[in-house]
Amino acid sequence: MSEPEIALLMSTFERPRHLRLALESIARQEGACGRMELVVTDDGSSDETPAIVRDFAAAANFPVQFTTHPHSTFQLARCRNEGVRASRAPYILFLDGDCILPPDHVSLHLARRKPGTVMAGDCCRLDEATSAHVTSEVVARGEFAGWGGSSELARLKKLDRASRFYNLIRHPTKP
């Protein structure tokens, strides 16, 4: 098997419902077959998280690894560092364990990457009531993409405009 081009590092802690849905969205990535690996970086969950990842890995058509450590406090940086050490890919995409990806997310990253360049992004945040309506069927159909609400979509558009402006003027410190 060839080395993956991109590693998805998903950080999680005791949110099994969210993790299952996020993993389902990763399994549905288009245009990334044979090009990606997944490292789930756990902050010491004591629930069914390891079993969820183990079952997902057994069915996935790409490499899946799992890292964890004893939980004492919130240690996101430690999780990410462990995930980077476990990955083999030269390009890393950091994800949270509740991020549902659109089907073209990984292929867009692969198409737009540039050597020596870091890309930063944001996500569309759903309120708790809306999140409760996200199911496996919703993920499979990709229906969640427009559920952010007008204020959330406006926030993302504002961030996009600012990012494009800073790239245009080649600002040295702004993304």
Side-chain angles (χ1 to χ4, degrees):
M1 181 183 291
S2 64
E3 293 292 311
E5 296 176 51
I6 186 170
L8 283 63
L9 271 57
M10 177 173 283
S11 302
T12 189
F13 177 70
E14 295 190 355
R15 296 180 79 186
R17 177 183 177 276
H18 293 93
L19 178 61
R20 280 188 185 96
L21 293 169
L23 292 174
E24 287 179 34
S25 75
I26 290 172
R28 296 184 174 283
Q29 291 302 296
E30 301 164 352
C33 186
R35 302 176 72 189
M36 70 179 192
E37 69 176 337
L38 171 66
V39 181
V40 178
T41 61
D42 177 57
D43 196 15
S45 296
S46 60
D47 60 6
E48 67 265 33
T49 294
I52 291 168
V53 176
R54 185 177 52 250
D55 293 347
F56 180 80
N61 63 356
F62 49 87
V64 177
Q65 296 184 66
F66 180 73
T67 67
T68 192
H69 53 260
H71 181 76
S72 58
T73 61
F74 181 61
Q75 298 183 55
L76 181 59
R78 180 178 178 182
C79 288
R80 289 181 173 166
N81 287 335
E82 290 171 354
V84 168
R85 279 192 295 277
S87 70
R88 299 176 306 156
Y91 187 82
I92 297 173
L93 177 60
F94 293 101
L95 304 168
D96 289 335
D98 60 352
C99 287
I100 308 294
L101 305 180
D104 62 348
H105 193 76
V106 172
S107 62
L108 283 173
H109 268 274
L110 288 168
R112 294 179 179 169
R113 66 189 163 163
K114 295 177 187 166
T117 301
V118 172
M119 287 195 294
D122 206 333
C123 61
C124 184
R125 292 173 177 84
L126 303 179
D127 60 42
E128 193 172 336
T130 304
S131 292
H133 294 291
V134 178
T135 63
S136 293
E137 294 76 23
V138 166
V139 171
R141 292 190 300 265
E143 293 176 357
F144 56 89
W147 287 12
S150 58
S151 63
E152 182 64 5
L153 296 176
R155 181 187 71 82
L156 290 170
K157 285 180 183 178
K158 181 179 177 182
L159 287 172
D160 180 60
R161 280 192 305 275
S163 176
R164 290 176 189 271
F165 172 73
Y166 290 128
N167 282 329
L168 180 68
I169 65 170
R170 298 188 186 281
H171 195 284
T173 61
K174 301 277 186 176

